[in-house]
Amino acid sequence: MKSLKIASVLMLATAFALRAATPALADEARPWLCRDKPVFSSSRAMKFDVTAHPGRQWKIFFMQYSPDAAHDGFDIVNARELSSGGDSMTGRLEAGRYFAVALYRGAAGHWICPEYAHDDRTPQSGAVSNLCYGAEGPPCLVNLNVMPDQNPAAPAP
């Protein structure tokens, strides 16, 4: 009985040591697991402008649903690290339907889904979408504005 306890303790210690020696999978961002994925779509190419307020590390993901995708049905088609200095970042998206999620890095180094995501789009503005993300609710810490691309011949970054 005593040798069984010792063997169990040794196996547990080995498992913890191996876990500590390998990179944590939790450090990988998994935007497809976020429950509330705001969606927008356009039959034309789009351009986006995204800004994160200073103070947190954010990453934005643009995904499309595909039943054959490896990530619970979502293919990540564009992902960007956002500047923690509050600088704006722009890009292009081809015509289609997109799910957009901005994740932030928590204190333990894990990527966390925001609790707040809201589309503030007003139809008269011409915007495809004007998304706002907050860590635990308002205020908006990341703003994503998606507009029709007036120059669709430009190469996507």
Side-chain angles (χ1 to χ4, degrees), residues 79-156:
R80 304 279 182 98
E81 293 272 345
L82 302 179
S83 167
S84 60
D87 298 329
S88 179
M89 179 181 297
T90 60
R92 290 189 64 247
L93 296 168
E94 296 301 319
R97 181 176 178 175
Y98 293 88
F99 297 87
V101 178
L103 280 77
Y104 65 94
R105 193 177 290 277
H110 305 286
W111 287 101
I112 301 171
C113 297
E115 288 188 26
Y116 181 75
H118 179 67
D119 194 342
D120 292 328
R121 182 181 67 87
T122 54
Q124 62 270 24
S125 72
V128 173
S129 187
N130 188 17
L131 293 167
C132 160
Y133 300 91
E136 289 126 19
C140 294
L141 300 176
V142 172
N143 292 93
L144 170 64
N145 187 25
V146 181
M147 300 290 289
D149 192 349
Q150 303 303 328
N151 185 15

